[in-house]
Amino acid sequence: MIKNAPFRFSDFESIEITYGYPQEMLNSYNSKTQDYQYVTSDDKVVKEKLKLRDDDLLYLHRKAQTLGFFNVDDDMTTVNADLDPNRQIPRYILKYTYKDKSKQVTFDADYPGVVKMKEATKTTIDEVLRIIAEAKAR
């Protein structure tokens, strides 16, 4: 059944994540190019190369499948009419790319939607960020 799943690891190409506040999304990682950019606590932008192991990528692929990430809505952002212009709520854009298709989700941390979909997305994002942090610590 897994071999016939719509998103197969054998077709996997990359994971990309961009995050920050909607006005300035300065943190990003792309597993294909290995480009990693982040903002330090003293507001300096650091750019470096960071390679994830194949095991890391396989883990993230399986985690996304298990959590149901491929079934969530693509746009999980808060409606602009409801926003306070001074709010500082993190936004995440996570994209899994495969040979013939991809899944990209834009997610606001305060998204008020369906709890199950929200949890699947948030947990997938947390796992991607955790694996990136572990790779950086190596």
Side-chain angles (χ1 to χ4, degrees), residues 17-59:
I17 188 165
T18 305
Y19 57 100
Y21 300 115
Q23 302 80 9
E24 50 185 41
M25 306 273 285
L26 298 176
N27 302 292
S28 64
Y29 178 71
N30 182 321
S31 68
K32 189 172 193 171
T33 63
Q34 300 174 4
D35 290 333
Y36 181 41
Q37 176 178 302
Y38 59 95
V39 179
T40 62
S41 57
D42 55 349
D43 289 333
K44 292 182 181 171
V45 176
V46 177
K47 294 181 181 183
E48 59 186 55
K49 293 289 187 181
L50 182 67
K51 180 170 176 39
L52 293 183
R53 296 184 280 199
D54 288 341
D55 288 346
D56 295 333
L57 297 170
L58 177 59
Y59 171 79

Side-chain angles (χ1 to χ4, degrees), residues 59-105:
Y59 171 79
L60 291 172
H61 164 78
R62 287 184 176 160
K63 194 68 170 178
Q65 276 189 324
T66 302
L67 293 168
F69 175 76
F70 299 114
N71 299 321
V72 302
D73 294 337
D74 294 343
D75 184 5
M76 298 177 76
T77 57
T78 307
V79 180
N80 289 338
D82 300 338
L83 303 180
D84 173 1
N86 298 322
R87 81 181 195 130
Q88 291 293 325
I89 303 297
R91 174 170 287 172
Y92 303 87
I93 301 171
L94 179 59
K95 182 177 183 180
Y96 277 66
T97 303
Y98 294 81
K99 204 173 286 179
D100 296 324
K101 57 183 155 185
S102 64
K103 175 67 174 181
Q104 178 172 314
V105 175

Side-chain angles (χ1 to χ4, degrees), residues 15 17 60 94 96 123-132:
I15 293 175
I17 188 165
L60 291 172
L94 179 59
Y96 277 66
T123 306
T124 304
I125 289 168
D126 289 345
E127 285 298 306
V128 170
L129 294 175
R130 185 182 66 78
I131 293 294
I132 291 170

